[in-house]
Amino acid sequence: MRGRGALGGVASRIGLSGRLLLLTILFVLLAEILIYVPGAANFRRTWLSDRVAAAQVAALVLDAAPQQRVSDDLARRLLTGVGARAIALKAGGTRRLIAVEEVPSEVGEVVDLREAGWIELAIGAWNSLLHPRAEPMRVVGHGKDGVDFVEIVIDPRPLREALIAFSGRILLTSLVISGITGLLVFLALQVSIVRPVRRLARNIAAFADDPEDASRMVAPSWRNDEIGLAETALARMETALAGELRQKRRLADLGLSVSKINHELRNLLTTAQLLGDRLEGTADPAVQRVAPRLLATLGRAIRYCEATLAYGRVAERVPERRLVPLRPILADALDLAGLVPGAAVQVDDRTPEGLMVDADADQLSRVVINLVRNAVQALGLAGTACGADSLVTIEAFREGGTVTILVADNGPGVPERVRTHLFAPFRSANRAGGTGLGLTIAAELVRLHGGSLSLDETSLGARFRIVLPDRTA
């Protein structure tokens, strides 16, 4: 474990560039090894073939001598020049032998160059280098000019020395090629990859220190490869993140302001509620008819202000669900028909009598009021899309353990550019003075009930669908 940690520390100190350089040298050396094996086999074959060819030349000297006989001194010089202990060849059915000393009866290895394949030659080269034998080697090769074959007996040590020298040259060449290649690859990768990656890493670290500083955002380069795509994606991400952080900071400041406003507003509403209590003792029938609803609305407003004071936790309270009739919950939404002065908008409640819904009455009322208010204001500003009277309808039905509420209008509908962020805070406002929070709050309240709020695809106007499932036992 201690050795592994030390290796990891060395690797981390080397860095990406150093690792690339070492890997490049390693891969080049591996390629040279793969080239060396057939090269060594070919070198051994060529070396032995040269000795066989020299042996046949020596045999020609024997043929040119009177009566095909030479002195022992000339034979010794011929064998020494070839590097062989004995030379034998066969031509025209006659076998000739050149030898000064007795030919060994046993040899350590027999190499027949006429039939040897690459695998056999490669194994022979490996054995000559690492497992040399002291016994002589017998080599048989093709003859020329009427000679059937040439056979020589040689000492294997010169062959091993030649192979060692060849391997040394290959090793030196491989090291030089690996070093040059590794250096060139190192410089190319340093310029094209390592430096841009370091630049991205420095930019990310600098941006993390102050994400709202626009000068710290990365500037994409001219590159159109993977590094360029990463720079472009990082620039988009930093821009979006900086915008989100600025918006969240503004929202935090806004939340503090809203809390202060709601604190004072709650006090004002409490005073209004006390004044409303006095209206209940008035004998005027109109006042008697309006006062209960006025007091209920003020009470709901006070409770909402109290809940908003706890909005620093950015959470709505858990719904207090009960099985209640739906139509009384929608009563306040019907009064929104006169929200836009001068616009004749009708709000029609088409929900069936006796339909029960398992919900928090106050929260469901807020959801429907938000949707109806948006529809009435859209109709008051843009009118209808078909030239008919402005109409907002509320429909509802039950299917098993689920109640569906539809709030529809015959207005211009929701613009396509708004649909993508319809339920996102501060992004769905489609009119001057709008906050873009109504649909966000409505969607959150519906989700707290385990339901869903969505916009239906319609050919005329807009239709929102509220789905509220009953609580499971």
Side-chain angles (χ1 to χ4, degrees):
M1 294 297 291
R2 187 175 298 173
R4 183 179 303 177
L7 289 176
V10 172
S12 62
R13 288 195 297 271
I14 290 177
L16 180 60
S17 304
R19 293 181 218 176
L20 290 173
L21 177 61
L22 293 177
L23 285 175
T24 303
I25 294 176
L26 178 63
F27 291 152
V28 172
L29 287 177
L30 181 60
E32 291 291 341
I33 291 174
L34 296 177
I35 296 174
Y36 167 76
V37 173
N42 185 63
F43 175 84
R44 183 172 183 265
R45 181 190 183 96
T46 302
W47 193 90
L48 294 176
S49 297
D50 291 342
R51 297 303 177 274
V52 171
Q56 185 168 352
V57 172
L60 292 176
V61 175
L62 176 62
D63 289 339
Q67 298 179 355
Q68 297 182 350
R69 294 181 62 84
V70 295
S71 64
D72 290 344
D73 182 60
L74 179 59
R76 185 176 292 105
R77 282 187 291 169
L78 288 173
L79 292 173
T80 302
V82 174
R85 293 187 181 184
I87 301 174
L89 56 85
K90 181 179 180 182
T94 304
R95 184 181 178 90
R96 301 189 183 95
L97 175 67
I98 302 177
V100 176
E101 54 191 44
E102 184 178 356
V103 178
S105 59
E106 293 184 2
V107 293
E109 181 182 1
V110 177
V111 180
D112 191 343
L113 298 177
R114 299 171 299 176
E115 300 177 354
W118 285 107
I119 297 178
E120 183 180 350
L121 291 172
I123 294 175
W126 179 266
N127 290 331
S128 297
L129 273 174
L130 302 181
H131 306 288
R133 293 187 177 184
E135 295 85 359
M137 175 188 296
R138 177 171 168 259
V139 182
V140 182
H142 291 286
K144 297 180 180 179
D145 300 327
V147 177
D148 296 335
F149 65 85
V150 179
E151 180 180 348
I152 59 175
V153 178
I154 61 174
D155 187 353
R157 286 176 296 179
L159 173 60
R160 183 172 184 269
E161 293 172 358
L163 278 172
I164 291 175
F166 171 78
S167 301
R169 292 193 298 271
I170 290 293
L171 177 61
L172 180 60
T173 304
S174 300
L175 290 175
V176 172
I177 293 175
S178 300
I180 295 175
T181 305
L183 180 60
L184 293 177
V185 172
F186 169 79
L187 294 176
L189 293 177
Q190 185 77 12
V191 173
S192 61
I193 295 179
V194 177
R195 287 183 181 176
V197 169
R198 286 178 177 172
R199 173 173 171 262
L200 289 176
R202 287 195 300 268
N203 174 264
I204 293 172
F207 181 78
D209 292 336
D210 189 2
E212 296 186 31
D213 186 357
S215 64
R216 299 182 180 229
M217 297 181 186
V218 66
S221 62
W222 52 268
R223 301 175 58 153
N224 57 359
D225 55 3
E226 288 79 1
I227 296 292
L229 295 176
E231 292 174 343
T232 303
L234 179 61
R236 286 199 303 265
M237 183 196 70
E238 289 179 346
T239 302
L241 181 59
E244 291 290 337
L245 290 175
R246 285 193 294 270
Q247 184 179 13
K248 288 184 181 298
R249 179 169 52 80
R250 289 196 298 268
L251 288 176
D253 296 339
L254 178 61
L256 179 59
S257 301
V258 168
S259 296
K260 294 178 180 178
I261 293 171
N262 271 278
H263 182 272
E264 300 303 322
L265 184 59
R266 181 189 59 177
N267 296 334
L268 295 175
L269 289 173
T270 302
T271 303
Q273 188 179 36
L274 293 175
L275 296 174
D277 290 339
R278 298 180 183 178
L279 291 177
E280 287 187 319
T282 305
D284 190 336
V287 175
Q288 290 294 325
R289 186 175 62 253
V290 174
R293 295 180 59 185
L294 175 60
L295 291 175
T297 303
L298 287 173
R300 190 182 301 119
I302 291 172
R303 289 194 298 273
Y304 181 62
C305 285
E306 291 174 346
T308 307
L309 288 175
Y311 198 70
R313 295 187 297 269
V314 196
E316 291 282 355
R317 64 174 176 82
V318 177
E320 298 176 2
R321 302 179 65 174
R322 298 187 304 274
L323 198 61
V324 294
L326 177 60
R327 296 203 71 168
I329 297 176
L330 308 178
D332 289 342
L334 303 180
D335 295 333
L336 296 175
L339 183 63
V340 180
V345 181
Q346 180 182 353
V347 180
D348 189 4
D349 181 6
R350 301 178 180 177
T351 58
E353 289 284 354
L355 178 61
M356 306 295 286
V357 60
D358 186 8
D360 185 309
D362 285 344
Q363 290 186 348
L364 182 55
S365 175
R366 288 168 55 192
V367 172
V368 177
I369 287 175
N370 268 315
L371 298 179
V372 174
R373 180 189 295 112
N374 287 346
V376 171
Q377 289 173 340
L379 288 169
L381 291 176
T384 62
C386 59
D389 294 336
S390 299
L391 177 63
V392 179
T393 61
I394 306 174
E395 299 178 280
F397 56 89
R398 172 177 285 277
E399 290 182 345
T402 301
V403 172
T404 301
I405 305 172
L406 302 176
V407 179
D409 64 73
N410 58 352
V414 180
E416 194 64 35
R417 60 181 176 81
V418 179
R419 291 173 181 258
T420 306
H421 308 289
L422 190 59
F423 300 104
F426 301 101
R427 304 183 69 177
S428 60
N430 191 36
R431 59 179 177 82
T435 63
L437 281 174
L439 289 178
T440 304
I441 296 173
E444 182 181 359
L445 292 174
V446 173
R447 282 196 299 270
L448 287 173
H449 284 75
S452 63
L453 174 61
S454 60
L455 177 67
D456 289 349
E457 290 291 338
T458 55
S459 58
L460 178 65
R463 184 174 69 196
F464 286 87
R465 179 180 296 268
I466 305 169
V467 179
L468 296 176
D470 294 343
R471 286 169 294 175
T472 55

